[in-house]
Amino acid sequence: MPKTLEFQIATPERVVFEAPAVEEIILPTQMGEITILPDHIPLVSSLVAGEIRVKVGGQEVSMAVSGGFIEVRPGKVVVLADTAERAEEIDEHRAEEAREKARQLMQEKKTETTDYTGLAAKLERELARLKVVRKHRERKNLGPKAVE
Amino acid sequence: MPQATREIKRRIRSIKSTHQITRAMELVSAAKMRRAVQNVLATRTYAQLGWQLLSELSARTDQSRHPLLARREQIKRLGLVIISSNRGLCGGFNHQLTHRTNQYIQKNREQNPQLEVDLVTVGKRGRDIMLRTGHNIVAEFTKADITTRIEVVAPIAKLLISDYLSGKSDRVVMAYTDFISPLTQKPIIKQLLPIVKEVDLNLGSARVAGVKQEEQAANFNYEYLFEPTPDAVLENLLPRLLEVQLYQALLESDASEHSARMMSMRNATDAAHDMISSLTLAFNQARQASITTELADITGGRAALGA
């Protein structure tokens, strides 16, 4: 039997996903995407907004996350995310709207730096969500959602 | 007759209205408790995983890596955060907590008579009690009835960290009430800074399904790799996880407060109920007694006349 990892992703609101045996985890970090395989050395790193992909039992589960932390221990990976959503849970239309809103606000307020950084983070988060949901839809062959 | 029964009647009426009030308060607390408990359960896993990470980090990385990990030889000033409630009528909730805190302070003073304690209070009741016992309060934070956003603890965490870094306190602990069940709550003192492993006094923990205690991991002698650099990661991670611990403590206190209040209000309602029924009995007895004496008078008078 191939080696596996225990995986758990928690946010302050809930435990988004956990599995006792996953084969591979792809995480977005500050240094770029990293892939964690079993027997990875213990690691602590910061998570950035993006997509987490987990291979469990041959299937891939994808999630959108904003910032947070990653901890790799022997035999276990823990993700402490600020927010996280499973691909199935994201409503594409709403994600698109939120992105648009964040971008507009950003153009208006480019001069106010404090707001700008907050909005930039928000935009990044919305982009990550959108990316995850689009990919998820493609994989399921549902095609793009009708735009009103 | 009217004298005795009127007195009892008045008391029954007043107890009945108290009964109504306490029952209403019980229902309100029950609703608040449900919400608070929901919140506390949702974040417990996150908080506990965060705490595990913190304590593993402190055990496995060089203390000199970050000032928040470094232990100090001498503890001259102790920073203490005490999380209490805003309102009373919740049984022994606040007194248990302040009692436990005073015990802790006393124990530490025995070891170190020069120890100064600076209090940071969250919640009005704890502040009032600690003021009365003559402690030094350096900061006071207000608190909502039910905390729902993690942002509210940011200023508290900021204050604690900056005081610790500037040497205003050499150790920071927090006192809060751990929510075990609606019937049991336990006041707990937990060390926040410096971050050390031994003092894990389980923040709502050990009871969370899905988070196993890592016994076997302790046997491995591993060190963490940091990406991109230890400084960059720790700089973000330590304050954030401390915030999470404070937030969780606040939620635990909220849940405890509302369940304590619900229980004490239920006890009050039950006691009022008992009092009403025993007073009603006394009332009926008094009424019957006066009727009997009146009857005895009448028949006695009649017998005297007829004779």
Side-chain angles (χ1 to χ4, degrees), chain B residues 25 28 32 84-90 93-94 123-125 143-145 257-258 261:
Chain B
M25 284 179 76
V28 171
K32 281 188 182 161
S84 60
S85 71
N86 280 335
R87 266 175 275 181
L89 290 182
C90 43
F93 177 77
N94 288 308
K124 289 183 200 146
R125 286 280 150 164
K143 152 181 186 297
D145 219 12
E257 178 197 335
H258 293 300
R261 180 167 298 122

Side-chain angles (χ1 to χ4, degrees), chain A residues 59-70:
Chain A
Q59 284 200 322
E60 206 176 76
V61 179
S62 132
M63 280 160 273
V65 290
S66 56
F69 304 103
I70 304 160

